[in-house]
Short mmCIF file of all heavy atoms in Angstrom, two decimals:
data_model
loop_
_atom_site.label_atom_id
_atom_site.label_comp_id
_atom_site.label_asym_id
_atom_site.label_seq_id
_atom_site.Cartn_x
_atom_site.Cartn_y
_atom_site.Cartn_z
N MET A 1 -12.01 74.64 49.35
CA MET A 1 -13.03 74.64 48.36
C MET A 1 -12.55 73.91 47.10
O MET A 1 -13.38 73.28 46.37
CB MET A 1 -13.40 76.02 47.96
CG MET A 1 -14.53 76.15 46.91
SD MET A 1 -15.83 77.23 47.30
CE MET A 1 -16.16 77.84 45.86
N ASP A 2 -11.32 74.03 46.71
CA ASP A 2 -10.74 73.35 45.60
C ASP A 2 -10.78 71.89 45.73
O ASP A 2 -11.03 71.13 44.73
CB ASP A 2 -9.27 73.81 45.41
CG ASP A 2 -8.76 73.31 44.12
OD1 ASP A 2 -9.57 73.32 43.12
OD2 ASP A 2 -7.53 72.98 44.01
N THR A 3 -10.66 71.31 46.86
CA THR A 3 -10.77 69.85 47.07
C THR A 3 -12.18 69.36 46.86
O THR A 3 -12.40 68.26 46.39
CB THR A 3 -10.29 69.45 48.52
OG1 THR A 3 -11.09 70.20 49.44
CG2 THR A 3 -8.89 69.79 48.74
N ASN A 4 -13.28 70.27 47.12
CA ASN A 4 -14.62 69.84 46.84
C ASN A 4 -14.87 69.70 45.39
O ASN A 4 -15.69 68.87 44.98
CB ASN A 4 -15.56 70.89 47.41
CG ASN A 4 -16.96 70.46 47.46
OD1 ASN A 4 -17.26 69.29 47.52
ND2 ASN A 4 -17.90 71.43 47.45
N LEU A 5 -14.16 70.34 44.56
CA LEU A 5 -14.33 70.25 43.12
C LEU A 5 -13.86 68.96 42.64
O LEU A 5 -14.29 68.37 41.50
CB LEU A 5 -13.58 71.36 42.34
CG LEU A 5 -14.11 72.77 42.55
CD1 LEU A 5 -13.23 73.77 41.81
CD2 LEU A 5 -15.54 72.93 41.99
N HIS A 6 -12.96 68.22 43.34
CA HIS A 6 -12.40 66.94 42.86
C HIS A 6 -12.83 65.83 43.81
O HIS A 6 -12.09 64.85 43.83
CB HIS A 6 -10.90 67.14 42.76
CG HIS A 6 -10.47 68.18 41.81
ND1 HIS A 6 -10.71 68.14 40.46
CD2 HIS A 6 -9.90 69.35 41.98
CE1 HIS A 6 -10.20 69.24 39.87
NE2 HIS A 6 -9.74 70.01 40.85
N SER A 7 -13.87 66.03 44.53
CA SER A 7 -14.25 65.01 45.58
C SER A 7 -14.94 63.78 44.76
O SER A 7 -15.43 63.91 43.74
CB SER A 7 -15.26 65.52 46.53
OG SER A 7 -16.50 65.72 45.95
N PRO A 8 -14.76 62.68 45.36
CA PRO A 8 -15.33 61.48 44.81
C PRO A 8 -16.92 61.58 44.71
O PRO A 8 -17.49 61.02 43.76
CB PRO A 8 -14.99 60.32 45.76
CG PRO A 8 -13.87 60.79 46.52
CD PRO A 8 -13.93 62.25 46.58
N GLU A 9 -17.49 62.22 45.57
CA GLU A 9 -18.93 62.44 45.55
C GLU A 9 -19.38 63.26 44.36
O GLU A 9 -20.23 62.95 43.63
CB GLU A 9 -19.44 63.05 46.86
CG GLU A 9 -19.36 62.23 48.10
CD GLU A 9 -17.95 62.30 48.74
OE1 GLU A 9 -17.15 63.01 48.29
OE2 GLU A 9 -17.80 61.55 49.78
N ARG A 10 -18.63 64.28 44.07
CA ARG A 10 -18.87 65.18 42.86
C ARG A 10 -18.64 64.35 41.66
O ARG A 10 -19.38 64.46 40.65
CB ARG A 10 -18.04 66.39 42.98
CG ARG A 10 -18.24 67.28 41.77
CD ARG A 10 -17.41 68.58 41.86
NE ARG A 10 -17.58 69.40 40.73
CZ ARG A 10 -18.42 70.42 40.70
NH1 ARG A 10 -19.17 70.88 41.73
NH2 ARG A 10 -18.61 71.15 39.60
N ARG A 11 -17.46 63.57 41.63
CA ARG A 11 -17.22 62.76 40.43
C ARG A 11 -18.43 61.73 40.19
O ARG A 11 -18.84 61.54 39.05
CB ARG A 11 -15.98 61.93 40.64
CG ARG A 11 -15.53 61.10 39.57
CD ARG A 11 -15.22 61.93 38.29
NE ARG A 11 -14.71 60.90 37.20
CZ ARG A 11 -15.06 61.10 35.96
NH1 ARG A 11 -15.70 62.12 35.53
NH2 ARG A 11 -14.73 60.14 35.05
N LEU A 12 -18.98 61.20 41.18
CA LEU A 12 -20.10 60.26 41.08
C LEU A 12 -21.34 60.98 40.47
O LEU A 12 -21.89 60.44 39.65
CB LEU A 12 -20.44 59.65 42.46
CG LEU A 12 -21.46 58.60 42.50
CD1 LEU A 12 -21.17 57.43 41.60
CD2 LEU A 12 -21.66 58.15 43.91
N ILE A 13 -21.55 62.23 40.92
CA ILE A 13 -22.68 62.97 40.45
C ILE A 13 -22.47 63.24 38.88
O ILE A 13 -23.44 63.08 38.12
CB ILE A 13 -22.89 64.26 41.24
CG1 ILE A 13 -23.40 63.94 42.57
CG2 ILE A 13 -23.80 65.26 40.46
CD1 ILE A 13 -23.29 65.09 43.51
N GLU A 14 -21.21 63.65 38.55
CA GLU A 14 -20.88 63.93 37.17
C GLU A 14 -21.09 62.66 36.28
O GLU A 14 -21.65 62.71 35.20
CB GLU A 14 -19.47 64.40 37.03
CG GLU A 14 -19.35 65.82 37.60
CD GLU A 14 -17.95 66.31 37.71
OE1 GLU A 14 -17.01 65.46 37.44
OE2 GLU A 14 -17.69 67.47 38.05
N LEU A 15 -20.66 61.49 36.78
CA LEU A 15 -20.78 60.31 36.06
C LEU A 15 -22.21 59.91 35.80
O LEU A 15 -22.70 59.45 34.78
CB LEU A 15 -20.10 59.13 36.80
CG LEU A 15 -18.48 59.17 36.75
CD1 LEU A 15 -17.97 58.12 37.66
CD2 LEU A 15 -17.92 59.04 35.32
N ARG A 16 -23.02 60.11 36.86
CA ARG A 16 -24.42 59.76 36.74
C ARG A 16 -25.14 60.71 35.79
O ARG A 16 -26.03 60.26 34.99
CB ARG A 16 -25.20 59.88 38.14
CG ARG A 16 -24.79 58.73 39.08
CD ARG A 16 -25.48 58.96 40.43
NE ARG A 16 -25.18 57.76 41.25
CZ ARG A 16 -25.24 57.76 42.58
NH1 ARG A 16 -25.66 58.89 43.15
NH2 ARG A 16 -24.99 56.65 43.25
N MET A 17 -24.76 61.95 35.70
CA MET A 17 -25.29 62.93 34.74
C MET A 17 -24.91 62.51 33.34
O MET A 17 -25.75 62.50 32.42
CB MET A 17 -24.90 64.28 35.05
CG MET A 17 -25.53 64.86 36.27
SD MET A 17 -24.80 66.44 36.84
CE MET A 17 -24.78 67.41 35.47
N GLU A 18 -23.71 62.10 33.09
CA GLU A 18 -23.26 61.72 31.79
C GLU A 18 -23.91 60.45 31.35
O GLU A 18 -24.28 60.22 30.13
CB GLU A 18 -21.79 61.44 31.84
CG GLU A 18 -21.14 61.17 30.42
CD GLU A 18 -19.66 61.02 30.45
OE1 GLU A 18 -19.01 61.37 31.39
OE2 GLU A 18 -19.20 60.61 29.37
N HIS A 19 -24.18 59.55 32.30
CA HIS A 19 -24.87 58.26 32.05
C HIS A 19 -26.33 58.62 31.59
O HIS A 19 -26.87 57.97 30.64
CB HIS A 19 -24.89 57.38 33.26
CG HIS A 19 -25.38 56.01 33.02
ND1 HIS A 19 -26.75 55.62 33.26
CD2 HIS A 19 -24.84 54.86 32.63
CE1 HIS A 19 -26.92 54.41 32.93
NE2 HIS A 19 -25.81 53.88 32.60
N ALA A 20 -27.03 59.45 32.27
CA ALA A 20 -28.37 59.89 31.93
C ALA A 20 -28.41 60.58 30.51
O ALA A 20 -29.28 60.30 29.81
CB ALA A 20 -28.98 60.80 32.99
N ASP A 21 -27.37 61.32 30.29
CA ASP A 21 -27.30 62.06 28.99
C ASP A 21 -27.12 60.91 27.83
O ASP A 21 -27.74 61.07 26.81
CB ASP A 21 -26.12 63.03 28.91
CG ASP A 21 -26.41 64.28 29.81
OD1 ASP A 21 -27.56 64.49 30.15
OD2 ASP A 21 -25.38 64.96 30.08
N LEU A 22 -26.32 60.01 28.15
CA LEU A 22 -26.10 58.96 27.11
C LEU A 22 -27.33 58.11 26.94
O LEU A 22 -27.75 57.68 25.72
CB LEU A 22 -24.96 58.01 27.56
CG LEU A 22 -23.55 58.41 27.11
CD1 LEU A 22 -22.55 57.42 27.73
CD2 LEU A 22 -23.42 58.45 25.66
N ASN A 23 -28.16 57.82 28.02
CA ASN A 23 -29.44 57.19 27.83
C ASN A 23 -30.33 57.96 26.93
O ASN A 23 -30.94 57.30 25.97
CB ASN A 23 -30.10 56.99 29.23
CG ASN A 23 -29.60 55.81 29.96
OD1 ASN A 23 -29.10 54.85 29.36
ND2 ASN A 23 -29.72 55.81 31.28
N ALA A 24 -30.43 59.21 27.13
CA ALA A 24 -31.23 60.08 26.30
C ALA A 24 -30.72 60.07 24.83
O ALA A 24 -31.60 59.97 23.83
CB ALA A 24 -31.33 61.53 26.86
N MET A 25 -29.49 60.13 24.66
CA MET A 25 -28.91 60.20 23.34
C MET A 25 -29.23 58.83 22.61
O MET A 25 -29.54 58.86 21.40
CB MET A 25 -27.41 60.40 23.41
CG MET A 25 -26.72 60.79 22.08
SD MET A 25 -25.00 61.08 22.24
CE MET A 25 -24.90 62.39 23.53
N ILE A 26 -29.08 57.76 23.32
CA ILE A 26 -29.28 56.41 22.74
C ILE A 26 -30.81 56.34 22.37
O ILE A 26 -31.16 55.79 21.30
CB ILE A 26 -28.93 55.27 23.68
CG1 ILE A 26 -27.37 55.29 23.75
CG2 ILE A 26 -29.45 53.88 23.26
CD1 ILE A 26 -26.86 54.34 24.86
N ASP A 27 -31.66 56.78 23.18
CA ASP A 27 -33.08 56.76 22.90
C ASP A 27 -33.47 57.59 21.60
O ASP A 27 -34.17 57.16 20.74
CB ASP A 27 -33.94 57.36 24.02
CG ASP A 27 -34.01 56.32 25.21
OD1 ASP A 27 -33.64 55.11 25.05
OD2 ASP A 27 -34.36 56.76 26.35
N ARG A 28 -32.90 58.77 21.50
CA ARG A 28 -33.08 59.61 20.37
C ARG A 28 -32.51 58.92 19.11
O ARG A 28 -33.14 58.88 18.05
CB ARG A 28 -32.47 60.93 20.46
CG ARG A 28 -33.27 61.88 21.35
CD ARG A 28 -32.78 63.35 21.31
NE ARG A 28 -31.32 63.46 21.54
CZ ARG A 28 -30.77 63.71 22.74
NH1 ARG A 28 -31.50 63.69 23.75
NH2 ARG A 28 -29.52 63.84 22.85
N ALA A 29 -31.34 58.35 19.19
CA ALA A 29 -30.68 57.74 18.04
C ALA A 29 -31.42 56.51 17.56
O ALA A 29 -31.51 56.28 16.35
CB ALA A 29 -29.28 57.42 18.37
N ALA A 30 -32.09 55.80 18.52
CA ALA A 30 -32.84 54.62 18.17
C ALA A 30 -34.15 54.93 17.35
O ALA A 30 -34.65 54.10 16.59
CB ALA A 30 -33.17 53.87 19.42
N GLN A 31 -34.60 56.16 17.52
CA GLN A 31 -35.81 56.58 16.82
C GLN A 31 -35.49 57.09 15.36
O GLN A 31 -36.44 57.20 14.60
CB GLN A 31 -36.56 57.68 17.61
CG GLN A 31 -37.07 57.15 18.89
CD GLN A 31 -37.65 58.29 19.81
OE1 GLN A 31 -37.54 59.48 19.43
NE2 GLN A 31 -38.15 57.87 20.95
N GLN A 32 -34.22 57.27 15.06
CA GLN A 32 -33.94 57.77 13.71
C GLN A 32 -33.96 56.58 12.75
O GLN A 32 -33.70 55.46 13.05
CB GLN A 32 -32.44 58.38 13.71
CG GLN A 32 -32.42 59.61 14.46
CD GLN A 32 -30.93 60.17 14.52
OE1 GLN A 32 -30.06 59.58 13.89
NE2 GLN A 32 -30.75 61.29 15.03
N THR A 33 -34.30 56.91 11.45
CA THR A 33 -34.29 55.92 10.45
C THR A 33 -33.34 56.48 9.36
O THR A 33 -33.58 57.53 8.87
CB THR A 33 -35.72 55.77 9.92
OG1 THR A 33 -36.58 55.42 10.99
CG2 THR A 33 -35.76 54.61 8.87
N PRO A 34 -32.42 55.64 8.87
CA PRO A 34 -31.97 54.42 9.45
C PRO A 34 -31.13 54.55 10.68
O PRO A 34 -30.59 55.60 10.86
CB PRO A 34 -31.16 53.81 8.36
CG PRO A 34 -30.58 55.04 7.58
CD PRO A 34 -31.69 56.06 7.70
N VAL A 35 -31.10 53.49 11.42
CA VAL A 35 -30.31 53.55 12.76
C VAL A 35 -28.84 53.38 12.39
O VAL A 35 -28.49 52.47 11.66
CB VAL A 35 -30.75 52.52 13.75
CG1 VAL A 35 -29.89 52.38 14.95
CG2 VAL A 35 -32.24 52.68 14.07
N ASP A 36 -27.97 54.20 12.92
CA ASP A 36 -26.53 54.07 12.73
C ASP A 36 -26.01 53.10 13.73
O ASP A 36 -25.84 53.42 14.96
CB ASP A 36 -25.90 55.46 12.91
CG ASP A 36 -24.46 55.47 12.67
OD1 ASP A 36 -23.82 54.32 12.55
OD2 ASP A 36 -23.83 56.60 12.52
N GLU A 37 -25.89 51.83 13.32
CA GLU A 37 -25.48 50.76 14.18
C GLU A 37 -24.17 51.02 14.91
O GLU A 37 -23.97 50.74 16.05
CB GLU A 37 -25.52 49.38 13.53
CG GLU A 37 -26.88 49.06 13.11
CD GLU A 37 -27.81 48.74 14.22
OE1 GLU A 37 -27.47 48.35 15.26
OE2 GLU A 37 -29.07 48.98 13.97
N LEU A 38 -23.23 51.45 14.10
CA LEU A 38 -21.86 51.71 14.68
C LEU A 38 -21.90 52.74 15.81
O LEU A 38 -21.36 52.58 16.96
CB LEU A 38 -20.93 52.17 13.59
CG LEU A 38 -19.48 52.51 14.06
CD1 LEU A 38 -18.87 51.16 14.61
CD2 LEU A 38 -18.63 52.93 12.85
N MET A 39 -22.62 53.87 15.62
CA MET A 39 -22.79 54.80 16.56
C MET A 39 -23.55 54.35 17.80
O MET A 39 -23.17 54.59 18.98
CB MET A 39 -23.55 56.14 16.09
CG MET A 39 -23.62 57.26 17.14
SD MET A 39 -24.58 58.62 16.56
CE MET A 39 -26.24 57.94 16.57
N MET A 40 -24.53 53.47 17.61
CA MET A 40 -25.25 52.93 18.69
C MET A 40 -24.32 52.03 19.56
O MET A 40 -24.38 52.04 20.82
CB MET A 40 -26.43 52.10 18.22
CG MET A 40 -27.61 52.98 17.69
SD MET A 40 -28.33 54.04 18.92
CE MET A 40 -29.39 52.75 19.71
N ARG A 41 -23.56 51.25 18.96
CA ARG A 41 -22.63 50.32 19.70
C ARG A 41 -21.63 51.07 20.50
O ARG A 41 -21.39 50.78 21.64
CB ARG A 41 -21.88 49.42 18.66
CG ARG A 41 -22.66 48.25 18.20
CD ARG A 41 -21.78 47.08 17.66
NE ARG A 41 -20.89 47.56 16.62
CZ ARG A 41 -21.20 47.58 15.32
NH1 ARG A 41 -22.27 46.97 14.86
NH2 ARG A 41 -20.35 47.96 14.38
N ARG A 42 -21.13 52.21 19.86
CA ARG A 42 -20.17 53.04 20.65
C ARG A 42 -20.80 53.75 21.89
O ARG A 42 -20.22 53.72 22.89
CB ARG A 42 -19.64 54.08 19.68
CG ARG A 42 -18.61 53.53 18.72
CD ARG A 42 -18.14 54.52 17.70
NE ARG A 42 -17.13 53.91 16.89
CZ ARG A 42 -16.64 54.54 15.80
NH1 ARG A 42 -17.12 55.72 15.41
NH2 ARG A 42 -15.69 53.94 15.02
N LEU A 43 -22.03 54.30 21.63
CA LEU A 43 -22.79 54.87 22.72
C LEU A 43 -23.06 53.88 23.83
O LEU A 43 -22.80 54.17 24.99
CB LEU A 43 -24.11 55.57 22.24
CG LEU A 43 -23.96 56.71 21.33
CD1 LEU A 43 -25.27 57.14 20.81
CD2 LEU A 43 -23.25 57.90 22.07
N LYS A 44 -23.53 52.67 23.45
CA LYS A 44 -23.83 51.69 24.46
C LYS A 44 -22.55 51.24 25.20
O LYS A 44 -22.60 50.89 26.44
CB LYS A 44 -24.54 50.47 23.84
CG LYS A 44 -25.99 50.89 23.42
CD LYS A 44 -26.74 49.74 22.82
CE LYS A 44 -28.11 50.11 22.42
NZ LYS A 44 -28.90 49.04 21.88
N LYS A 45 -21.42 51.07 24.54
CA LYS A 45 -20.20 50.74 25.09
C LYS A 45 -19.73 51.72 26.11
O LYS A 45 -19.33 51.36 27.27
CB LYS A 45 -19.12 50.47 24.02
CG LYS A 45 -17.84 49.83 24.57
CD LYS A 45 -16.94 49.54 23.45
CE LYS A 45 -15.69 48.88 23.88
NZ LYS A 45 -14.75 48.49 22.81
N ARG A 46 -19.87 53.02 25.73
CA ARG A 46 -19.57 54.11 26.61
C ARG A 46 -20.47 54.12 27.85
O ARG A 46 -20.02 54.29 29.01
CB ARG A 46 -19.52 55.45 25.92
CG ARG A 46 -19.34 56.61 26.80
CD ARG A 46 -17.84 56.68 27.37
NE ARG A 46 -17.79 57.83 28.17
CZ ARG A 46 -16.97 57.80 29.27
NH1 ARG A 46 -16.27 56.73 29.63
NH2 ARG A 46 -16.93 58.83 30.05
N ARG A 47 -21.73 53.87 27.68
CA ARG A 47 -22.68 53.77 28.78
C ARG A 47 -22.34 52.58 29.74
O ARG A 47 -22.35 52.94 30.92
CB ARG A 47 -24.12 53.66 28.25
CG ARG A 47 -25.15 53.62 29.26
CD ARG A 47 -26.57 53.61 28.74
NE ARG A 47 -26.70 52.25 28.01
CZ ARG A 47 -27.87 51.88 27.44
NH1 ARG A 47 -28.90 52.73 27.50
NH2 ARG A 47 -27.96 50.77 26.79
N LEU A 48 -22.00 51.56 29.23
CA LEU A 48 -21.59 50.39 29.99
C LEU A 48 -20.35 50.76 30.78
O LEU A 48 -20.28 50.45 32.06
CB LEU A 48 -21.46 49.13 29.15
CG LEU A 48 -21.11 47.93 29.97
CD1 LEU A 48 -22.17 47.53 30.92
CD2 LEU A 48 -20.93 46.74 28.96
N ALA A 49 -19.45 51.39 30.20
CA ALA A 49 -18.20 51.68 30.92
C ALA A 49 -18.46 52.68 32.10
O ALA A 49 -17.88 52.67 33.19
CB ALA A 49 -17.18 52.36 29.95
N LEU A 50 -19.42 53.69 31.77
CA LEU A 50 -19.73 54.59 32.83
C LEU A 50 -20.39 53.90 33.95
O LEU A 50 -20.20 54.14 35.09
CB LEU A 50 -20.68 55.65 32.23
CG LEU A 50 -20.07 56.75 31.46
CD1 LEU A 50 -21.18 57.66 30.79
CD2 LEU A 50 -19.18 57.68 32.40
N ARG A 51 -21.33 52.89 33.65
CA ARG A 51 -22.06 52.20 34.71
C ARG A 51 -21.03 51.45 35.56
O ARG A 51 -21.19 51.39 36.78
CB ARG A 51 -22.97 51.24 34.01
CG ARG A 51 -23.93 50.54 34.96
CD ARG A 51 -24.88 51.55 35.69
NE ARG A 51 -24.84 51.15 37.10
CZ ARG A 51 -25.19 52.08 38.03
NH1 ARG A 51 -25.52 53.30 37.73
NH2 ARG A 51 -25.13 51.69 39.27
N ASP A 52 -19.90 50.79 34.92
CA ASP A 52 -19.00 50.13 35.66
C ASP A 52 -18.25 51.15 36.59
O ASP A 52 -17.98 50.74 37.81
CB ASP A 52 -18.01 49.39 34.79
CG ASP A 52 -18.62 48.25 34.03
OD1 ASP A 52 -19.75 47.78 34.50
OD2 ASP A 52 -18.03 47.82 33.04
N GLU A 53 -17.86 52.28 36.12
CA GLU A 53 -17.13 53.18 36.86
C GLU A 53 -17.97 53.79 38.00
O GLU A 53 -17.46 53.91 39.15
CB GLU A 53 -16.65 54.44 35.97
CG GLU A 53 -15.73 55.32 36.70
CD GLU A 53 -15.03 56.29 35.71
OE1 GLU A 53 -15.24 56.21 34.49
OE2 GLU A 53 -14.43 57.24 36.28
N ILE A 54 -19.31 53.98 37.79
CA ILE A 54 -20.26 54.37 38.84
C ILE A 54 -20.26 53.33 39.89
O ILE A 54 -20.20 53.68 41.09
CB ILE A 54 -21.64 54.69 38.25
CG1 ILE A 54 -21.62 55.97 37.40
CG2 ILE A 54 -22.64 54.81 39.33
CD1 ILE A 54 -22.77 56.13 36.53
N ALA A 55 -20.46 52.07 39.57
CA ALA A 55 -20.48 51.04 40.49
C ALA A 55 -19.27 50.91 41.37
O ALA A 55 -19.29 50.75 42.57
CB ALA A 55 -20.82 49.70 39.82
N ARG A 56 -18.03 51.06 40.69
CA ARG A 56 -16.83 50.98 41.42
C ARG A 56 -16.64 52.15 42.43
O ARG A 56 -16.28 51.95 43.52
CB ARG A 56 -15.64 51.07 40.41
CG ARG A 56 -14.31 50.96 41.09
CD ARG A 56 -13.17 51.16 40.03
NE ARG A 56 -13.26 52.40 39.28
CZ ARG A 56 -13.01 53.58 39.75
NH1 ARG A 56 -12.54 53.73 40.97
NH2 ARG A 56 -13.02 54.71 38.96
N LEU A 57 -17.05 53.29 41.96
CA LEU A 57 -16.95 54.48 42.90
C LEU A 57 -17.95 54.37 44.12
O LEU A 57 -17.66 54.76 45.07
CB LEU A 57 -17.20 55.81 42.01
CG LEU A 57 -16.84 57.10 42.60
CD1 LEU A 57 -15.39 57.02 43.12
CD2 LEU A 57 -16.96 58.22 41.68
N GLU A 58 -19.16 53.81 43.76
CA GLU A 58 -20.12 53.68 44.81
C GLU A 58 -19.65 52.75 45.91
O GLU A 58 -19.80 52.96 47.08
CB GLU A 58 -21.45 53.11 44.24
CG GLU A 58 -22.26 54.11 43.48
CD GLU A 58 -23.51 53.55 42.85
OE1 GLU A 58 -23.52 52.34 42.58
OE2 GLU A 58 -24.33 54.46 42.51
N LEU A 59 -18.85 51.66 45.48
CA LEU A 59 -18.27 50.72 46.42
C LEU A 59 -17.18 51.44 47.32
O LEU A 59 -17.03 51.11 48.46
CB LEU A 59 -17.69 49.54 45.70
CG LEU A 59 -18.67 48.44 45.30
CD1 LEU A 59 -17.94 47.35 44.48
CD2 LEU A 59 -19.32 47.89 46.50
N VAL A 60 -16.44 52.34 46.67
CA VAL A 60 -15.39 53.02 47.30
C VAL A 60 -16.05 53.93 48.43
O VAL A 60 -15.54 54.07 49.53
CB VAL A 60 -14.49 53.80 46.40
CG1 VAL A 60 -13.59 54.74 47.19
CG2 VAL A 60 -13.72 52.84 45.53
N LEU A 61 -17.07 54.66 48.00
CA LEU A 61 -17.71 55.64 48.91
C LEU A 61 -18.48 54.99 49.99
O LEU A 61 -18.68 55.50 51.12
CB LEU A 61 -18.62 56.52 48.15
CG LEU A 61 -17.86 57.50 47.20
CD1 LEU A 61 -18.77 58.35 46.32
CD2 LEU A 61 -16.90 58.49 47.96
N ASP A 62 -19.10 53.85 49.70
CA ASP A 62 -19.98 53.15 50.67
C ASP A 62 -19.74 51.76 50.64
O ASP A 62 -20.61 50.91 50.21
CB ASP A 62 -21.49 53.44 50.32
CG ASP A 62 -22.53 52.98 51.29
OD1 ASP A 62 -22.03 52.80 52.55
OD2 ASP A 62 -23.63 52.70 51.03
N PRO A 63 -18.74 51.23 51.21
CA PRO A 63 -18.33 49.84 51.20
C PRO A 63 -19.38 49.03 52.07
O PRO A 63 -19.87 49.51 53.10
CB PRO A 63 -16.95 49.69 51.84
CG PRO A 63 -16.83 50.95 52.62
CD PRO A 63 -17.72 52.03 51.91
N LYS A 64 -19.77 47.86 51.60
CA LYS A 64 -20.73 47.08 52.31
C LYS A 64 -20.17 46.34 53.55
O LYS A 64 -20.86 46.11 54.54
CB LYS A 64 -21.31 45.92 51.42
CG LYS A 64 -21.97 46.51 50.15
CD LYS A 64 -23.23 47.34 50.56
CE LYS A 64 -23.81 48.05 49.27
NZ LYS A 64 -24.59 49.16 49.51
N GLU A 65 -18.86 46.07 53.51
CA GLU A 65 -18.24 45.38 54.68
C GLU A 65 -17.50 46.46 55.51
O GLU A 65 -16.95 47.44 54.98
CB GLU A 65 -17.20 44.41 54.16
CG GLU A 65 -17.85 43.32 53.35
CD GLU A 65 -16.82 42.29 52.77
OE1 GLU A 65 -15.72 42.38 53.25
OE2 GLU A 65 -17.13 41.53 51.88
N PRO A 66 -17.48 46.23 56.81
CA PRO A 66 -16.67 47.19 57.62
C PRO A 66 -15.20 47.15 57.28
O PRO A 66 -14.67 46.11 56.99
CB PRO A 66 -16.91 46.76 59.04
CG PRO A 66 -17.56 45.41 58.99
CD PRO A 66 -17.99 45.16 57.48
N ALA A 67 -14.55 48.34 57.34
CA ALA A 67 -13.19 48.36 56.96
C ALA A 67 -12.24 47.91 58.01
O ALA A 67 -12.45 47.62 59.14
CB ALA A 67 -12.82 49.82 56.73
#
């Protein structure tokens, strides 16, 4: 059961949830006046890093080419 807590599949789910949370946070921050540009850049940079990590993990879990 302990290995299930650290499985790549679980990590992928956690990353997707964090990515969705960041999307919502960015949407809310964009509606504020004035917009905090520094915070927006940091949130978007983190979101992009998460997207890259999600893509990398998806390739590891489901490679397109046979091994």
Side-chain angles (χ1 to χ4, degrees):
M1 178 131 145
D2 188 38
T3 58
N4 191 27
L5 292 176
H6 302 292
S7 71
E9 292 84 3
R10 182 176 175 100
R11 179 70 178 140
L12 184 58
I13 291 169
E14 290 170 351
L15 290 172
R16 287 179 176 158
M17 288 171 49
E18 186 176 351
H19 188 268
D21 289 345
L22 273 174
N23 277 336
M25 194 180 304
I26 288 169
D27 289 343
R28 282 192 309 272
Q31 294 173 357
Q32 294 178 356
T33 305
V35 175
D36 184 347
E37 294 296 330
L38 179 60
M39 183 183 71
M40 289 293 284
R41 280 198 307 264
R42 288 177 176 165
L43 291 173
K44 289 180 178 182
K45 187 174 183 177
R46 174 66 182 145
R47 182 178 63 178
L48 183 59
L50 281 173
R51 187 65 228 157
D52 290 344
E53 192 172 348
I54 289 168
R56 182 186 54 76
L57 197 50
E58 286 173 340
L59 280 175
V60 168
L61 292 174
D62 187 26
K64 302 296 179 204
E65 299 177 14

